[in-house]
Every structure is written in structure tokens, then in C-alpha cells.
Amino acid sequence: QVQLVESGGGLVQAGGSLRLSCAASGRTNSAYGMGWFRQAPGKEREFVATISWGGGVTGYADSTKGRFTISRNNAENTAILQMNSLKPEDTAIYYCAASKGPLARRLERLYSYWGQGTQVTVAS
């Protein structure tokens, strides 16, 4: 089992930045891909970004490409989502997730472990 805890959410003005962190604990000695997803009110949860175990492969949703950057520090068991040029449509609960296996993955169903989420609100 892997436990995930997100932090860093909050309220920011449009055009601003936020840095989300995801701390992993538990069975972290196995290689696992990490991802960030988000769910806005009244909408389904959607993919935001993913990173492979080694960090060499990353992937982004079209809506976040060029504005968001995913990274990880395996020595500290953390994953980071740096969000710049935020827009009101980025408002959502952001979840980090860990998959079984080292690959970067875009599909929600391939993730086994999920955090509780952190709220991000972007004011216009």
C-alpha cells in the first residue's frame, strides 16, 4: 500500500502560480509512476500530468501543457506540480495518484493509489 497526501492548494488570482506537493509513504520501495488529476464542480475527474519513475518521461493534458510542470524526488518520495499562468478554469480539486509499475500513465483506471485531494481556486 502507498499512502499519498497532497498539499499546496489555495486561492490565487488569474495569472498567478501555485506549487502542489504530493508526499508518498508506505510501500514506496517499488517503482511507480505518478500522476495528477483534477475534478471541477459538476465535471468528471480529468488527467492533468504524469511522470515516470525515473522522471525521464512526462505527459500533460493539452489544457495544461506549457503552463504546468510535473517533477519528482524519489529520495524524498515526493511529486510536485508547478502551476503557472493559472486560469479560472483551472479551479478544481487536484489529486495525486500512484500507479503500479514505473511508467507514466494518462488513464485514471491504471492508478491504484490516490490522495484525498487539495482545492485550487483561481479567481478572475
Side-chain angles (χ1 to χ4, degrees):
Q1 290 284 344
V2 176
Q3 291 79 44
L4 303 172
V5 178
E6 303 95 337
S7 61
L11 173 64
V12 65
Q13 293 293 318
S17 299
L18 280 175
R19 185 173 182 267
L20 303 184
S21 296
C22 176
S25 62
R27 192 176 177 181
T28 58
N29 57 334
S30 298
Y32 52 92
M34 295 290 294
W36 287 93
F37 293 77
R38 66 187 182 186
Q39 187 168 21
K43 295 186 177 181
E44 294 186 351
R45 190 156 58 185
E46 65 176 3
F47 167 74
V48 174
T50 183
I51 188 167
S52 61
W53 168 251
V57 178
T58 57
Y60 298 90
D62 288 344
S63 59
T64 62
K65 197 176 300 182
R67 300 187 298 124
F68 291 9
T69 302
I70 189 171
S71 61
R72 67 188 297 164
N73 183 329
N74 290 341
E76 297 182 353
N77 292 319
T78 57
I80 303 296
L81 185 68
Q82 178 66 42
M83 305 187 296
N84 299 327
S85 302
L86 283 162
K87 305 174 181 180
E89 52 263 43
D90 294 318
T91 295
I93 298 174
Y94 282 70
Y95 299 90
C96 75
S99 66
K100 293 181 180 178
L103 302 179
R105 300 180 183 275
R106 293 173 175 261
L107 296 178
E108 183 176 336
R109 63 178 172 84
L110 296 178
Y111 286 85
S112 301
Y113 308 106
W114 293 83
Q116 293 299 307
T118 185
Q119 177 70 48
V120 170
T121 303
V122 184
S124 57

